[in-house]
mmCIF file of all heavy atoms in Angstrom:
data_model
loop_
_atom_site.group_PDB
_atom_site.id
_atom_site.type_symbol
_atom_site.label_atom_id
_atom_site.label_comp_id
_atom_site.label_asym_id
_atom_site.label_seq_id
_atom_site.Cartn_x
_atom_site.Cartn_y
_atom_site.Cartn_z
ATOM 1 N N ARG A 22 12.284 34.791 4.072
ATOM 2 C CA ARG A 22 11.858 34.323 5.384
ATOM 3 C C ARG A 22 12.295 35.295 6.447
ATOM 4 O O ARG A 22 13.465 35.696 6.485
ATOM 5 C CB ARG A 22 12.480 32.971 5.684
ATOM 6 C CG ARG A 22 11.469 31.887 5.538
ATOM 7 C CD ARG A 22 12.068 30.570 5.843
ATOM 8 N NE ARG A 22 11.731 29.684 4.741
ATOM 9 C CZ ARG A 22 12.106 28.434 4.682
ATOM 10 N NH1 ARG A 22 12.833 27.914 5.635
ATOM 11 N NH2 ARG A 22 11.750 27.699 3.666
ATOM 12 N N THR A 92 2.884 23.121 -0.140
ATOM 13 C CA THR A 92 3.800 23.536 -1.204
ATOM 14 C C THR A 92 3.718 22.612 -2.429
ATOM 15 O O THR A 92 3.587 23.096 -3.557
ATOM 16 C CB THR A 92 5.229 23.661 -0.647
ATOM 17 O OG1 THR A 92 5.264 24.822 0.190
ATOM 18 C CG2 THR A 92 6.264 23.793 -1.735
ATOM 19 N N SER A 111 4.800 30.571 3.416
ATOM 20 C CA SER A 111 5.301 29.531 4.309
ATOM 21 C C SER A 111 6.711 29.852 4.766
ATOM 22 O O SER A 111 7.483 30.464 4.036
ATOM 23 C CB SER A 111 5.327 28.194 3.567
ATOM 24 O OG SER A 111 6.036 27.248 4.328
ATOM 25 N N ALA A 112 7.018 29.432 5.977
ATOM 26 C CA ALA A 112 8.422 29.417 6.392
ATOM 27 C C ALA A 112 8.792 27.963 6.667
ATOM 28 O O ALA A 112 9.552 27.654 7.582
ATOM 29 C CB ALA A 112 8.648 30.296 7.609
ATOM 30 N N SER A 113 8.153 27.068 5.882
ATOM 31 C CA SER A 113 8.472 25.648 5.886
ATOM 32 C C SER A 113 8.431 25.027 7.283
ATOM 33 O O SER A 113 7.414 25.062 7.947
ATOM 34 C CB SER A 113 9.829 25.454 5.217
ATOM 35 O OG SER A 113 10.085 24.092 5.027
ATOM 36 N N HIS A 114 9.574 24.546 7.732
ATOM 37 C CA HIS A 114 9.655 23.812 9.005
ATOM 38 C C HIS A 114 9.916 24.746 10.186
ATOM 39 O O HIS A 114 10.039 24.285 11.310
ATOM 40 C CB HIS A 114 10.778 22.796 8.887
ATOM 41 C CG HIS A 114 12.046 23.436 8.400
ATOM 42 N ND1 HIS A 114 12.181 23.873 7.103
ATOM 43 C CD2 HIS A 114 13.177 23.772 9.035
ATOM 44 C CE1 HIS A 114 13.361 24.436 6.957
ATOM 45 N NE2 HIS A 114 13.982 24.393 8.119
ATOM 46 N N LYS A 126 7.233 32.915 -0.949
ATOM 47 C CA LYS A 126 8.079 32.627 -2.112
ATOM 48 C C LYS A 126 7.245 32.623 -3.379
ATOM 49 O O LYS A 126 6.042 32.370 -3.353
ATOM 50 C CB LYS A 126 8.822 31.300 -1.937
ATOM 51 C CG LYS A 126 7.939 30.089 -1.820
ATOM 52 C CD LYS A 126 8.814 28.840 -1.711
ATOM 53 C CE LYS A 126 7.965 27.608 -1.481
ATOM 54 N NZ LYS A 126 8.723 26.374 -1.466
ATOM 55 N N PRO A 250 7.513 22.397 13.269
ATOM 56 C CA PRO A 250 6.998 21.401 12.332
ATOM 57 C C PRO A 250 8.114 20.887 11.420
ATOM 58 O O PRO A 250 8.073 21.038 10.201
ATOM 59 C CB PRO A 250 5.935 22.186 11.555
ATOM 60 C CG PRO A 250 6.451 23.593 11.560
ATOM 61 C CD PRO A 250 7.216 23.772 12.834
ATOM 62 N N ASP A 277 6.450 18.287 7.183
ATOM 63 C CA ASP A 277 6.752 19.575 7.821
ATOM 64 C C ASP A 277 5.619 20.590 7.663
ATOM 65 O O ASP A 277 4.529 20.265 7.179
ATOM 66 C CB ASP A 277 8.071 20.142 7.280
ATOM 67 C CG ASP A 277 7.927 20.682 5.867
ATOM 68 O OD1 ASP A 277 7.072 20.183 5.119
ATOM 69 O OD2 ASP A 277 8.668 21.618 5.510
ATOM 70 N N GLY A 278 5.912 21.833 8.047
ATOM 71 C CA GLY A 278 4.911 22.900 8.050
ATOM 72 C C GLY A 278 4.143 23.004 6.752
ATOM 73 O O GLY A 278 2.907 23.073 6.742
ATOM 74 N N ASP A 279 4.839 23.020 5.624
ATOM 75 C CA ASP A 279 4.170 23.224 4.334
ATOM 76 C C ASP A 279 4.077 21.952 3.501
ATOM 77 O O ASP A 279 3.714 22.009 2.320
ATOM 78 C CB ASP A 279 4.876 24.338 3.545
ATOM 79 C CG ASP A 279 6.314 23.997 3.228
ATOM 80 O OD1 ASP A 279 6.943 23.269 4.019
ATOM 81 O OD2 ASP A 279 6.826 24.456 2.197
ATOM 82 N N GLY A 280 4.454 20.811 4.107
ATOM 83 C CA GLY A 280 4.188 19.532 3.460
ATOM 84 C C GLY A 280 5.161 19.097 2.392
ATOM 85 O O GLY A 280 4.898 18.153 1.658
ATOM 86 N N ASP A 281 6.304 19.762 2.293
ATOM 87 C CA ASP A 281 7.239 19.303 1.256
ATOM 88 C C ASP A 281 8.335 18.385 1.802
ATOM 89 O O ASP A 281 8.992 17.695 1.035
ATOM 90 C CB ASP A 281 7.834 20.483 0.464
ATOM 91 C CG ASP A 281 8.540 21.488 1.336
ATOM 92 O OD1 ASP A 281 8.539 21.319 2.569
ATOM 93 O OD2 ASP A 281 9.097 22.464 0.776
ATOM 94 N N ARG A 282 8.514 18.374 3.125
ATOM 95 C CA ARG A 282 9.545 17.479 3.681
ATOM 96 C C ARG A 282 8.928 16.197 4.218
ATOM 97 O O ARG A 282 7.745 16.165 4.522
ATOM 98 C CB ARG A 282 10.264 18.171 4.839
ATOM 99 C CG ARG A 282 11.040 19.371 4.417
ATOM 100 C CD ARG A 282 11.844 19.920 5.579
ATOM 101 N NE ARG A 282 12.667 21.026 5.102
ATOM 102 C CZ ARG A 282 13.779 21.429 5.666
ATOM 103 N NH1 ARG A 282 14.217 20.845 6.758
ATOM 104 N NH2 ARG A 282 14.471 22.426 5.154
ATOM 105 N N LYS A 376 9.817 19.614 -3.652
ATOM 106 C CA LYS A 376 9.879 18.347 -2.941
ATOM 107 C C LYS A 376 8.480 18.052 -2.405
ATOM 108 O O LYS A 376 7.659 18.961 -2.272
ATOM 109 C CB LYS A 376 10.923 18.391 -1.843
ATOM 110 C CG LYS A 376 10.804 19.537 -0.878
ATOM 111 C CD LYS A 376 12.085 19.647 -0.059
ATOM 112 C CE LYS A 376 12.028 20.840 0.872
ATOM 113 N NZ LYS A 376 13.161 21.741 0.666
HETATM 114 ZN ZN1 LIG B 602 8.970 22.788 3.835
#
Side-chain angles (χ1 to χ4, degrees):
R22 255 181 230 180
T92 288
S111 169
S113 189
H114 51 289
K126 62 178 176 176
D277 74 331
D279 62 330
D281 57 357
R282 295 186 176 205
K376 53 194 177 236

